Amino acid sequence: MPRTKLTDKDIQTRLAALPDWEVRDGKLHRELTFPSFIEAFAFMTAFALVAERVNHHPDWRNVYNRVVIDLWTHDAGGITARDFELAQRAHELTES
């Protein structure tokens, strides 16, 4: 998938299809809250496997039942289609 930085218009168009995601500090951003630490960690484990498979890794952090995810493509200097692909996969994991 290309590592070309998306325009602001492209980003806004793609965001419409991803509920709960926003642009914050130039990155795709989402904060998730789970019923427990175990469920938050299970999500992170599943998402880590996806990220490794597509070789595109999130900036993220976890405190107890909360997971905060920031996505952007370092070598493109901004948000790319790869970030939206990974955000979509995270969304799918939260829906399953």
Side-chain angles (χ1 to χ4, degrees):
M1 186 162 287
R3 294 180 184 184
T4 303
K5 183 178 171 180
L6 297 172
T7 66
D8 289 340
K9 183 178 179 181
D10 288 337
I11 291 168
Q12 292 307 312
T13 299
R14 290 172 184 243
L15 270 177
L18 281 173
D20 303 317
W21 287 85
E22 65 180 327
V23 174
R24 187 181 291 181
D25 299 324
K27 301 172 184 176
L28 283 183
H29 177 86
R30 184 166 181 197
E31 297 183 17
L32 300 121
T33 303
F34 296 89
S36 68
F37 172 74
I38 294 296
E39 290 176 69
F41 197 85
F43 165 80
M44 291 180 73
T45 301
F47 191 49
L49 293 172
V50 169
E52 186 64 19
R53 202 172 312 121
V54 299
N55 193 30
H56 193 56
H57 304 90
D59 291 333
W60 60 355
R61 62 189 176 282
N62 162 247
V63 176
Y64 183 61
N65 67 334
R66 282 188 10 161
V67 176
V68 177
I69 304 169
D70 288 307
L71 301 173
W72 70 296
T73 303
H74 300 260
D75 57 348
I79 298 169
T80 67
R82 295 183 79 202
D83 300 302
F84 276 96
E85 175 190 344
L86 203 51
Q88 178 61 42
R89 299 294 295 275
H91 176 74
E92 291 166 3
L93 286 171
T94 62
E95 296 295 307
S96 60

